[in-house]
Amino acid sequence: MDAWRARASKEHPANLERMKPPQRLTLLATLCHVRQTEITDSLVDLFIQLVLKINTRAERKVEKEAELKKVRGKEAMLLRVA
């Protein structure tokens, strides 16, 4: 399929118009299919990167909140209160 895509992308639009319909349609269909696949793959990669970035931020926020809740000597204070 890569060979068909390379061939279709090398052709000028005027040359495609001169081709017989079966050949022209095959080249254009192949080009469109491969491009659609490439675009879909790129979008999925971007989505995965976005999810990882959101996840990383969420983990940092949780860790930061956990650090804020830590109190030095908390156990000693609780023992004195008890």
Side-chain angles (χ1 to χ4, degrees):
M1 205 175 262
D2 290 334
W4 286 96
R5 182 197 188 281
R7 183 175 172 193
S9 60
K10 289 179 188 175
E11 293 289 339
H12 293 286
N15 292 343
L16 287 172
E17 286 179 355
R18 289 187 209 121
M19 290 181 182
K20 293 180 181 177
Q23 185 182 13
R24 178 178 61 227
L25 294 175
T26 302
L27 287 175
L28 290 174
T30 304
L31 179 64
C32 290
H33 174 72
V34 172
R35 261 320 271 151
Q36 181 182 5
T37 304
E38 290 171 351
I39 291 170
T40 302
D41 289 346
S42 295
L43 287 173
V44 168
D45 288 340
L46 285 171
F47 181 69
I48 290 170
Q49 289 174 2
L50 178 64
V51 169
L52 290 174
K53 189 172 186 177
I54 291 171
N55 192 29
T56 302
R57 283 186 182 176
E59 287 177 0
R60 285 183 190 155
K61 187 173 182 179
V62 168
E63 289 173 2
K64 192 174 185 179
E65 287 178 5
E67 287 177 10
L68 291 175
K69 290 181 181 179
K70 290 181 183 176
V71 177
R72 291 183 184 171
K74 180 170 60 174
E75 291 181 18
M77 286 184 203
L78 290 174
L79 288 174
R80 275 188 276 156
V81 170

